[in-house]
Amino acid sequence: MYVVKNIQLYPFFRIAIALMAGILVAKAMDNPMPGIWMACAIGVYLMAVVSYFLFKTYWGACLLFLACFFLGGWRMSIGLAADMPSASCLQPSLKSGIPQDYSQAVFLMEPQVHGKVIMTRMMLLDGKYRGKSIPVSILRDTVSNKWKQLHEGDGIIVRAELSDYLFLSDNTYYNHLFLFEDDCQKASVTLSQLDVLERVRVLALRFRSVVLQRLRAEGSDRGFGILAAMTLGDKSYLDKKVRNDFAITGSSHVLALSGLHLGILYFILSIFFRKRWWASQMIILLAVWAFVVLVGMSASVIRSALMISLCCIIQMMDRKNITVNTLSFSAVVMLLINPESLYDISFQLSFLSVFGILTMAPRCHSRIVSLLTVSFAAQLATLPLVLYYFGRLSCYGVLTSLVVIPAAFVILYGSVAVFITLPFLQLSRWLLGRVESVTYGLERLLGWVAGLPGASIEHLYINRLQVVLLYVILVCGYLFVRKFAVFKK
């Protein structure tokens, strides 16, 4: 009864579960039938309405969640049908690999050096594949070094033979374009064929590239990669050692823009505006979404911004803060927009971590104890998935969070201060130096922790069945603890 009573408090949680189940089944069937899925959804929904008004039983609610299941299958089927290659694509060309087509494109990421090539992602601006993006590798010419002139947001003319294989949804070899340096030339390109949202995105990426180059010119290279990743979402300046140190210490989440960073931004803006005044909440929302556009509108940042938006609406309604219902509603919206998000690692980890915090972290008066319990709850909720995807257990992750999260606050607060004081160049440079000192200190500290004995346990890969069993054990353990009121809220 305890479990049923608590589940009934969160209707959107049940809707989200039903929607996810429908998406999973439709994906497993791999046979797009959107018409059948939609017919089933409508039919079951009508049955639910009739059952509720005529019989006043729980069958109406059960049928409603079954309708959500079919709705998830319908949404996934639409995506599968759109991703099916055309008949011409199923007949691969036997021609030589000589490129034939010229296309305008723009870089969506700062090019990164990987051995003999630079890797980035570009979006096509014209032709049949206008608006589509694709990973690309470009062979470096180490004599002329022309590749050093290519940056995020730059326009290029690409000479390549494109086919539908390149734009399949699955991440395979065929989803990657390989070019020689002479096959792409930096050029001024027109964005007129893109929709307004994509144009704004490209312009924002260009602005971000200019800001990062300006910051790098004014500051130093000490900790700059961490600063660029945590403030503007550009991880191209991070070297392999820094990435590895953050991964070993369980701190990689602070390098990827997420709810933590937007939450800090929301908190900073809330200092200057009254929380329950609707106009102030609208200003905060505009600022948050402007930041989302600036950092490239990645899926994880959009999810976090959606969550912040819901929190703003809750503040305007003078209601409680974020709950499982709020989290579940944002998941439903994201999955209806893009059902493939369910298979995104960042989607899974971000929602499970917040779910773990909401359900397992007790309220504490001590900030240090609260920080520890929140970090432990988030890591416990995501542990099975971390083992499944990465095969690594960070032994000091909870302890390092005592330093990493406060440091993230300082870095983001300091970065905001740097941008505010840009008209006062000397003050801005001084603040930038202090922020870089904090990022460099954090880099050195995590490098030291990563070198400690037993910092992480490697190669703990588990299969899907073991993931399910681990979550069953976690849920049973949580219910057992709650039953005996160890975690009193």
PDB file of all heavy atoms in Angstrom, residues 31-53:
ATOM      1  N   ASN A  31       9.976  -1.918 -36.955  1.00  0.00           N
ATOM      2  CA  ASN A  31       9.079  -1.993 -38.103  1.00  0.00           C
ATOM      3  C   ASN A  31       8.075  -0.849 -38.000  1.00  0.00           C
ATOM      4  O   ASN A  31       7.060  -0.967 -37.311  1.00  0.00           O
ATOM      5  CB  ASN A  31       8.349  -3.331 -38.119  1.00  0.00           C
ATOM      6  CG  ASN A  31       7.484  -3.491 -39.364  1.00  0.00           C
ATOM      7  OD1 ASN A  31       7.643  -2.759 -40.350  1.00  0.00           O
ATOM      8  ND2 ASN A  31       6.557  -4.432 -39.326  1.00  0.00           N
ATOM      9  N   PRO A  32       8.360   0.288 -38.641  1.00  0.00           N
ATOM     10  CA  PRO A  32       7.500   1.466 -38.464  1.00  0.00           C
ATOM     11  C   PRO A  32       6.050   1.198 -38.857  1.00  0.00           C
ATOM     12  O   PRO A  32       5.768   0.834 -40.007  1.00  0.00           O
ATOM     13  CB  PRO A  32       8.140   2.501 -39.395  1.00  0.00           C
ATOM     14  CG  PRO A  32       9.529   2.025 -39.619  1.00  0.00           C
ATOM     15  CD  PRO A  32       9.480   0.538 -39.557  1.00  0.00           C
ATOM     16  N   MET A  33       5.155   1.368 -37.920  1.00  0.00           N
ATOM     17  CA  MET A  33       3.716   1.231 -38.178  1.00  0.00           C
ATOM     18  C   MET A  33       2.978   2.361 -37.469  1.00  0.00           C
ATOM     19  O   MET A  33       2.179   2.125 -36.551  1.00  0.00           O
ATOM     20  CB  MET A  33       3.210  -0.125 -37.691  1.00  0.00           C
ATOM     21  CG  MET A  33       3.868  -1.325 -38.368  1.00  0.00           C
ATOM     22  SD  MET A  33       3.222  -2.882 -37.736  1.00  0.00           S
ATOM     23  CE  MET A  33       3.824  -2.827 -36.035  1.00  0.00           C
ATOM     24  N   PRO A  34       3.275   3.617 -37.819  1.00  0.00           N
ATOM     25  CA  PRO A  34       2.678   4.743 -37.073  1.00  0.00           C
ATOM     26  C   PRO A  34       1.160   4.746 -37.109  1.00  0.00           C
ATOM     27  O   PRO A  34       0.509   5.122 -36.127  1.00  0.00           O
ATOM     28  CB  PRO A  34       3.263   5.981 -37.770  1.00  0.00           C
ATOM     29  CG  PRO A  34       3.753   5.500 -39.100  1.00  0.00           C
ATOM     30  CD  PRO A  34       4.158   4.079 -38.899  1.00  0.00           C
ATOM     31  N   GLY A  35       0.563   4.319 -38.220  1.00  0.00           N
ATOM     32  CA  GLY A  35      -0.885   4.296 -38.313  1.00  0.00           C
ATOM     33  C   GLY A  35      -1.518   3.348 -37.302  1.00  0.00           C
ATOM     34  O   GLY A  35      -2.515   3.682 -36.647  1.00  0.00           O
ATOM     35  N   ILE A  36      -0.955   2.158 -37.183  1.00  0.00           N
ATOM     36  CA  ILE A  36      -1.492   1.167 -36.240  1.00  0.00           C
ATOM     37  C   ILE A  36      -1.317   1.637 -34.802  1.00  0.00           C
ATOM     38  O   ILE A  36      -2.233   1.533 -33.979  1.00  0.00           O
ATOM     39  CB  ILE A  36      -0.797  -0.192 -36.459  1.00  0.00           C
ATOM     40  CG1 ILE A  36      -1.125  -0.727 -37.849  1.00  0.00           C
ATOM     41  CG2 ILE A  36      -1.218  -1.193 -35.384  1.00  0.00           C
ATOM     42  CD1 ILE A  36      -0.440  -2.027 -38.198  1.00  0.00           C
ATOM     43  N   TRP A  37      -0.137   2.185 -34.491  1.00  0.00           N
ATOM     44  CA  TRP A  37       0.110   2.681 -33.135  1.00  0.00           C
ATOM     45  C   TRP A  37      -0.867   3.803 -32.777  1.00  0.00           C
ATOM     46  O   TRP A  37      -1.417   3.832 -31.668  1.00  0.00           O
ATOM     47  CB  TRP A  37       1.549   3.180 -33.011  1.00  0.00           C
ATOM     48  CG  TRP A  37       2.581   2.107 -32.884  1.00  0.00           C
ATOM     49  CD1 TRP A  37       3.391   1.631 -33.865  1.00  0.00           C
ATOM     50  CD2 TRP A  37       2.925   1.381 -31.705  1.00  0.00           C
ATOM     51  NE1 TRP A  37       4.220   0.652 -33.383  1.00  0.00           N
ATOM     52  CE2 TRP A  37       3.961   0.482 -32.048  1.00  0.00           C
ATOM     53  CE3 TRP A  37       2.478   1.395 -30.391  1.00  0.00           C
ATOM     54  CZ2 TRP A  37       4.543  -0.393 -31.132  1.00  0.00           C
ATOM     55  CZ3 TRP A  37       3.057   0.523 -29.467  1.00  0.00           C
ATOM     56  CH2 TRP A  37       4.064  -0.350 -29.848  1.00  0.00           C
ATOM     57  N   MET A  38      -1.097   4.731 -33.711  1.00  0.00           N
ATOM     58  CA  MET A  38      -1.995   5.838 -33.431  1.00  0.00           C
ATOM     59  C   MET A  38      -3.443   5.362 -33.280  1.00  0.00           C
ATOM     60  O   MET A  38      -4.183   5.834 -32.407  1.00  0.00           O
ATOM     61  CB  MET A  38      -1.892   6.889 -34.549  1.00  0.00           C
ATOM     62  CG  MET A  38      -2.877   8.062 -34.383  1.00  0.00           C
ATOM     63  SD  MET A  38      -2.809   8.849 -32.753  1.00  0.00           S
ATOM     64  CE  MET A  38      -1.231   9.691 -32.863  1.00  0.00           C
ATOM     65  N   ALA A  39      -3.862   4.418 -34.127  1.00  0.00           N
ATOM     66  CA  ALA A  39      -5.217   3.875 -34.009  1.00  0.00           C
ATOM     67  C   ALA A  39      -5.425   3.213 -32.653  1.00  0.00           C
ATOM     68  O   ALA A  39      -6.473   3.389 -32.008  1.00  0.00           O
ATOM     69  CB  ALA A  39      -5.481   2.880 -35.146  1.00  0.00           C
ATOM     70  N   CYS A  40      -4.419   2.467 -32.210  1.00  0.00           N
ATOM     71  CA  CYS A  40      -4.508   1.820 -30.897  1.00  0.00           C
ATOM     72  C   CYS A  40      -4.572   2.859 -29.780  1.00  0.00           C
ATOM     73  O   CYS A  40      -5.347   2.709 -28.825  1.00  0.00           O
ATOM     74  CB  CYS A  40      -3.319   0.891 -30.686  1.00  0.00           C
ATOM     75  SG  CYS A  40      -3.309  -0.579 -31.741  1.00  0.00           S
ATOM     76  N   ALA A  41      -3.769   3.916 -29.907  1.00  0.00           N
ATOM     77  CA  ALA A  41      -3.750   4.959 -28.871  1.00  0.00           C
ATOM     78  C   ALA A  41      -5.105   5.644 -28.767  1.00  0.00           C
ATOM     79  O   ALA A  41      -5.638   5.840 -27.671  1.00  0.00           O
ATOM     80  CB  ALA A  41      -2.650   5.978 -29.173  1.00  0.00           C
ATOM     81  N   ILE A  42      -5.684   5.991 -29.913  1.00  0.00           N
ATOM     82  CA  ILE A  42      -6.987   6.677 -29.901  1.00  0.00           C
ATOM     83  C   ILE A  42      -8.085   5.746 -29.375  1.00  0.00           C
ATOM     84  O   ILE A  42      -8.921   6.139 -28.554  1.00  0.00           O
ATOM     85  CB  ILE A  42      -7.330   7.181 -31.313  1.00  0.00           C
ATOM     86  CG1 ILE A  42      -6.335   8.262 -31.744  1.00  0.00           C
ATOM     87  CG2 ILE A  42      -8.759   7.733 -31.356  1.00  0.00           C
ATOM     88  CD1 ILE A  42      -6.515   8.737 -33.175  1.00  0.00           C
ATOM     89  N   GLY A  43      -8.072   4.493 -29.848  1.00  0.00           N
ATOM     90  CA  GLY A  43      -9.079   3.545 -29.402  1.00  0.00           C
ATOM     91  C   GLY A  43      -9.032   3.286 -27.905  1.00  0.00           C
ATOM     92  O   GLY A  43     -10.070   3.317 -27.220  1.00  0.00           O
ATOM     93  N   VAL A  44      -7.836   3.069 -27.375  1.00  0.00           N
ATOM     94  CA  VAL A  44      -7.699   2.810 -25.937  1.00  0.00           C
ATOM     95  C   VAL A  44      -8.049   4.054 -25.133  1.00  0.00           C
ATOM     96  O   VAL A  44      -8.653   3.962 -24.049  1.00  0.00           O
ATOM     97  CB  VAL A  44      -6.264   2.329 -25.617  1.00  0.00           C
ATOM     98  CG1 VAL A  44      -6.057   2.209 -24.108  1.00  0.00           C
ATOM     99  CG2 VAL A  44      -5.992   0.993 -26.282  1.00  0.00           C
ATOM    100  N   TYR A  45      -7.713   5.236 -25.647  1.00  0.00           N
ATOM    101  CA  TYR A  45      -8.052   6.466 -24.935  1.00  0.00           C
ATOM    102  C   TYR A  45      -9.577   6.646 -24.842  1.00  0.00           C
ATOM    103  O   TYR A  45     -10.100   7.010 -23.786  1.00  0.00           O
ATOM    104  CB  TYR A  45      -7.431   7.672 -25.650  1.00  0.00           C
ATOM    105  CG  TYR A  45      -7.827   8.999 -25.045  1.00  0.00           C
ATOM    106  CD1 TYR A  45      -7.290   9.419 -23.842  1.00  0.00           C
ATOM    107  CD2 TYR A  45      -8.769   9.812 -25.669  1.00  0.00           C
ATOM    108  CE1 TYR A  45      -7.662  10.632 -23.276  1.00  0.00           C
ATOM    109  CE2 TYR A  45      -9.148  11.019 -25.123  1.00  0.00           C
ATOM    110  CZ  TYR A  45      -8.588  11.431 -23.918  1.00  0.00           C
ATOM    111  OH  TYR A  45      -8.974  12.619 -23.359  1.00  0.00           O
ATOM    112  N   LEU A  46     -10.284   6.382 -25.926  1.00  0.00           N
ATOM    113  CA  LEU A  46     -11.749   6.484 -25.899  1.00  0.00           C
ATOM    114  C   LEU A  46     -12.348   5.477 -24.924  1.00  0.00           C
ATOM    115  O   LEU A  46     -13.298   5.784 -24.187  1.00  0.00           O
ATOM    116  CB  LEU A  46     -12.313   6.276 -27.303  1.00  0.00           C
ATOM    117  CG  LEU A  46     -11.970   7.363 -28.333  1.00  0.00           C
ATOM    118  CD1 LEU A  46     -12.499   6.985 -29.712  1.00  0.00           C
ATOM    119  CD2 LEU A  46     -12.527   8.715 -27.893  1.00  0.00           C
ATOM    120  N   MET A  47     -11.755   4.276 -24.887  1.00  0.00           N
ATOM    121  CA  MET A  47     -12.213   3.271 -23.926  1.00  0.00           C
ATOM    122  C   MET A  47     -11.967   3.747 -22.497  1.00  0.00           C
ATOM    123  O   MET A  47     -12.794   3.514 -21.598  1.00  0.00           O
ATOM    124  CB  MET A  47     -11.495   1.946 -24.173  1.00  0.00           C
ATOM    125  CG  MET A  47     -11.886   1.249 -25.468  1.00  0.00           C
ATOM    126  SD  MET A  47     -10.823  -0.177 -25.823  1.00  0.00           S
ATOM    127  CE  MET A  47     -11.112  -1.178 -24.368  1.00  0.00           C
ATOM    128  N   ALA A  48     -10.848   4.426 -22.274  1.00  0.00           N
ATOM    129  CA  ALA A  48     -10.530   4.935 -20.934  1.00  0.00           C
ATOM    130  C   ALA A  48     -11.532   5.993 -20.497  1.00  0.00           C
ATOM    131  O   ALA A  48     -11.978   6.006 -19.343  1.00  0.00           O
ATOM    132  CB  ALA A  48      -9.109   5.506 -20.918  1.00  0.00           C
ATOM    133  N   VAL A  49     -11.898   6.889 -21.428  1.00  0.00           N
ATOM    134  CA  VAL A  49     -12.871   7.940 -21.101  1.00  0.00           C
ATOM    135  C   VAL A  49     -14.229   7.333 -20.762  1.00  0.00           C
ATOM    136  O   VAL A  49     -14.873   7.698 -19.766  1.00  0.00           O
ATOM    137  CB  VAL A  49     -12.996   8.927 -22.283  1.00  0.00           C
ATOM    138  CG1 VAL A  49     -14.127   9.917 -22.035  1.00  0.00           C
ATOM    139  CG2 VAL A  49     -11.680   9.667 -22.491  1.00  0.00           C
ATOM    140  N   VAL A  50     -14.674   6.381 -21.583  1.00  0.00           N
ATOM    141  CA  VAL A  50     -15.968   5.728 -21.337  1.00  0.00           C
ATOM    142  C   VAL A  50     -15.945   4.980 -20.014  1.00  0.00           C
ATOM    143  O   VAL A  50     -16.897   5.056 -19.211  1.00  0.00           O
ATOM    144  CB  VAL A  50     -16.312   4.771 -22.500  1.00  0.00           C
ATOM    145  CG1 VAL A  50     -17.549   3.949 -22.162  1.00  0.00           C
ATOM    146  CG2 VAL A  50     -16.530   5.553 -23.791  1.00  0.00           C
ATOM    147  N   SER A  51     -14.867   4.241 -19.759  1.00  0.00           N
ATOM    148  CA  SER A  51     -14.753   3.474 -18.519  1.00  0.00           C
ATOM    149  C   SER A  51     -14.761   4.374 -17.290  1.00  0.00           C
ATOM    150  O   SER A  51     -15.385   4.039 -16.275  1.00  0.00           O
ATOM    151  CB  SER A  51     -13.461   2.638 -18.546  1.00  0.00           C
ATOM    152  OG  SER A  51     -13.272   1.958 -17.325  1.00  0.00           O
ATOM    153  N   TYR A  52     -14.095   5.519 -17.385  1.00  0.00           N
ATOM    154  CA  TYR A  52     -14.023   6.411 -16.220  1.00  0.00           C
ATOM    155  C   TYR A  52     -15.381   7.027 -15.899  1.00  0.00           C
ATOM    156  O   TYR A  52     -15.808   7.064 -14.740  1.00  0.00           O
ATOM    157  CB  TYR A  52     -12.991   7.511 -16.488  1.00  0.00           C
ATOM    158  CG  TYR A  52     -12.886   8.509 -15.354  1.00  0.00           C
ATOM    159  CD1 TYR A  52     -12.175   8.210 -14.206  1.00  0.00           C
ATOM    160  CD2 TYR A  52     -13.518   9.743 -15.450  1.00  0.00           C
ATOM    161  CE1 TYR A  52     -12.088   9.117 -13.160  1.00  0.00           C
ATOM    162  CE2 TYR A  52     -13.438  10.662 -14.412  1.00  0.00           C
ATOM    163  CZ  TYR A  52     -12.722  10.343 -13.278  1.00  0.00           C
ATOM    164  OH  TYR A  52     -12.654  11.245 -12.244  1.00  0.00           O
ATOM    165  N   PHE A  53     -16.102   7.502 -16.934  1.00  0.00           N
ATOM    166  CA  PHE A  53     -17.357   8.202 -16.682  1.00  0.00           C
ATOM    167  C   PHE A  53     -18.526   7.257 -16.396  1.00  0.00           C
ATOM    168  O   PHE A  53     -19.467   7.619 -15.702  1.00  0.00           O
ATOM    169  CB  PHE A  53     -17.701   9.104 -17.869  1.00  0.00           C
ATOM    170  CG  PHE A  53     -16.883  10.358 -17.917  1.00  0.00           C
ATOM    171  CD1 PHE A  53     -15.838  10.497 -18.828  1.00  0.00           C
ATOM    172  CD2 PHE A  53     -17.141  11.403 -17.044  1.00  0.00           C
ATOM    173  CE1 PHE A  53     -15.084  11.660 -18.873  1.00  0.00           C
ATOM    174  CE2 PHE A  53     -16.387  12.568 -17.077  1.00  0.00           C
ATOM    175  CZ  PHE A  53     -15.354  12.697 -17.989  1.00  0.00           C
TER     176      PHE A  53
END
